[in-house]
Amino acid sequence: AGAIGSRICLELDAAGLRLVLVDLNAEALRALAAKLSRPPLCIAGDLCDRALLQSLPERLRAECGGCDLLVNNVGIVSTTPFEQAEPAQIERELNINLMVPTLLTRVLLPLLSASGQGRVITIASMAAIMPLAESAVYSASKFALRGLMLSLALRKPQTGVHFALVNPSSVDTPMLRYEAVNGGSPLNFLGEPIPPERVAVTVRALLQGDALERCVPASEGWSAKLALLLPNLLPRLLPRFNRSGERGRERYIAAQKLQRPARPT
């Protein structure tokens, strides 16, 4: 029911799909459901709760007759420097960003295989390709998620399920606004943040075809992949990128009329 997820739901609803929505926020789910053309199945709960996770296949089988598509769209970010982060904070970020989509994919895989046309589309991040010093755990979780989904894509002959990834650059969401004023990576602001609708349109496009990965925008995906061809140069290149990103951050903060948190005196 967040910025990207709700736009994906509207796009898939327009494509004719019946949706199952899962979110922590029951009120936001109800508001989103009211915008859809056909009533969705709404499940308010925390997918970190293993009992909820394990209950989903039987519920989908009983109430929907199966499952043809899973869209993994979940993520939190911490801007606390890694050396200052508490272990519990690190574990929570990894759990939500990596373990939830991993385990959700696993428990729904039998239903997706049985559908004969199953697809999994996972929203990762450009941080799955380009490391972010200021959000090291977030970047690590997305690197791992990308590796998992590309690996599972190679198992299509065994599972019959097609896997695809969407790697957005910075998206204009509440999470990005938080990062803008709380020490997030300057690399998020090298280009103009994209609207959530661009991610949603890409998800809809991946309902057909054999593409395994799309970067949005594509130009930033190629730039990130090229930079990682020579990782030993990153320490020399990043200061220049960061200076440009900081200028972009200031423009974004001004355009969004954001307020930086007050510094302790």
Side-chain angles (χ1 to χ4, degrees):
I4 296 175
S6 60
R7 293 306 310 182
I8 292 173
C9 290
L10 292 169
E11 194 70 30
L12 296 182
D13 179 68
L17 279 69
R18 184 196 174 195
L19 304 181
V20 178
L21 315 180
V22 184
D23 197 284
L24 277 169
N25 190 328
E27 184 178 346
L29 278 181
R30 286 192 294 270
L32 174 58
K35 299 176 183 177
L36 302 179
S37 63
R38 53 190 62 79
L41 170 60
C42 292
I43 301 173
D46 186 352
L47 286 173
C48 291
D49 177 356
R50 194 66 59 85
L52 172 62
L53 197 80
Q54 296 288 354
S55 72
L56 287 177
E58 187 53 41
R59 187 163 182 186
L60 293 182
R61 192 179 289 110
E63 299 190 41
C64 305
C67 180
D68 301 311
L69 170 68
L70 166 64
V71 178
N72 286 309
N73 178 65
V74 63
I76 62 169
V77 66
S78 170
T79 56
T80 303
F82 181 79
E83 63 274 13
Q84 297 174 19
E86 295 294 334
Q89 179 183 348
I90 293 172
E91 187 174 24
R92 179 172 181 266
E93 195 168 357
L94 289 172
N95 195 26
I96 292 172
N97 293 352
L98 176 60
M99 292 308 298
V100 163
T102 297
L103 295 176
L104 184 58
T105 300
R106 174 61 188 88
V107 300
L108 292 184
L109 196 57
L111 287 182
L112 292 160
S113 293
S115 84
Q117 55 183 357
R119 284 182 181 255
V120 177
I121 301 175
T122 298
I123 313 304
S125 170
M126 213 69 80
I129 302 170
M130 187 71 178
L132 303 180
E134 295 77 10
S135 308
V137 177
Y138 178 82
S139 190
S141 67
K142 296 299 185 177
F143 261 77
L145 188 62
R146 179 174 182 250
L148 172 71
M149 294 302 164
L150 290 176
S151 297
L152 292 176
L154 302 180
R155 291 194 55 77
K156 185 176 180 179
Q158 290 76 33
T159 66
V161 178
H162 182 80
F163 286 80
L165 283 154
V166 180
N167 297 318
S169 64
S170 56
V171 185
D172 185 18
T173 63
M175 191 167 88
L176 183 67
R177 291 166 205 156
Y178 171 84
E179 289 186 83
V181 297
N182 287 280
S185 173
L187 299 184
N188 288 325
F189 305 97
L190 281 173
E192 189 76 19
I194 64 174
E197 290 80 2
R198 285 194 63 180
V199 181
V201 168
T202 304
V203 170
R204 183 172 179 174
L206 288 171
L207 294 178
Q208 299 178 344
D210 297 325
L212 301 187
E213 183 173 59
R214 293 276 178 86
C215 293
V216 187
S219 59
E220 292 196 28
W222 285 116
S223 298
K225 290 173 182 177
L226 285 171
L228 261 291
L229 289 176
L230 298 169
N232 292 332
L233 293 180
L234 285 178
R236 281 187 256 170
L237 293 174
L238 279 179
R240 180 180 300 176
F241 293 157
N242 285 342
R243 286 193 294 271
S244 177
E246 289 294 356
R247 292 192 291 271
R249 185 204 303 269
E250 293 305 318
R251 290 193 297 271
Y252 181 74
I253 289 173
Q256 297 293 327
K257 298 181 172 60
L258 302 177
Q259 296 293 322
R260 285 188 166 91
R263 292 183 178 180
T265 56

